[in-house]
Amino acid sequence: MPKIYQYLNYEIFIYTNDHLPVHIHIFIQDRQVKAELIWVNKKLEIHFKKIGSYKPLSNAECKDVAIFVRSYEKQIKEKWDKIMYYNQAVKAEVIKKKL
């Protein structure tokens, strides 16, 4: 489960050998959600999903993450491809400034 980003206090991971659609797992404290990235007519839609028994992020936190995902969608997709299709390691990036 490589960490691909640390955005503010959010830790963002992609599980290796995971499933489509392209998605990321976002952790903060003891809470977690999955954000599915779906492109419809080249426009990004982000669908947040609850994960098992984890408490989800708040709506405000999901909005923060959505802003981040929209700003980094190309890089997230590139990291997904490297991890899932080419079995390559990716470096976690740290972004400390709120977008």
Side-chain angles (χ1 to χ4, degrees):
M1 171 174 72
K3 182 177 181 178
I4 61 168
Y5 288 102
Q6 175 78 41
Y7 172 59
L8 305 174
N9 291 326
Y10 303 101
E11 295 184 68
I12 302 171
F13 294 86
I14 294 175
Y15 290 171
T16 54
N17 297 315
D18 213 344
H19 55 82
L20 291 172
V22 173
H23 64 278
I24 55 177
H25 293 261
I26 302 101
F27 295 84
I28 186 167
Q29 298 164 352
D30 61 343
R31 297 171 289 127
Q32 179 185 174
V33 294
K34 174 171 68 171
E36 295 180 345
L37 287 67
I38 300 170
W39 289 269
V40 177
N41 297 322
K42 298 184 181 181
K43 183 176 177 170
L44 176 63
E45 292 182 6
I46 304 167
H47 299 227
F48 289 97
K49 307 281 183 164
K50 187 177 183 312
I51 301 286
S53 61
Y54 286 97
K55 291 181 183 177
L57 278 61
S58 70
N59 287 340
E61 290 169 327
C62 287
K63 286 180 184 177
D64 282 344
V65 170
I67 291 167
F68 170 80
V69 169
R70 289 188 188 288
S71 297
Y72 282 83
E73 78 174 272
K74 181 180 176 189
Q75 295 91 328
I76 292 169
K77 177 65 168 85
E78 287 171 356
K79 288 181 185 223
W80 173 275
D81 290 347
K82 284 181 180 181
I83 291 167
M84 302 305 276
Y85 301 124
Y86 302 109
N87 201 27
Q88 295 177 347
V90 298
K91 184 178 177 185
E93 296 178 54
V94 177
I95 295 118
K96 296 179 180 180
K97 189 174 185 179
K98 186 170 182 170
L99 302 175

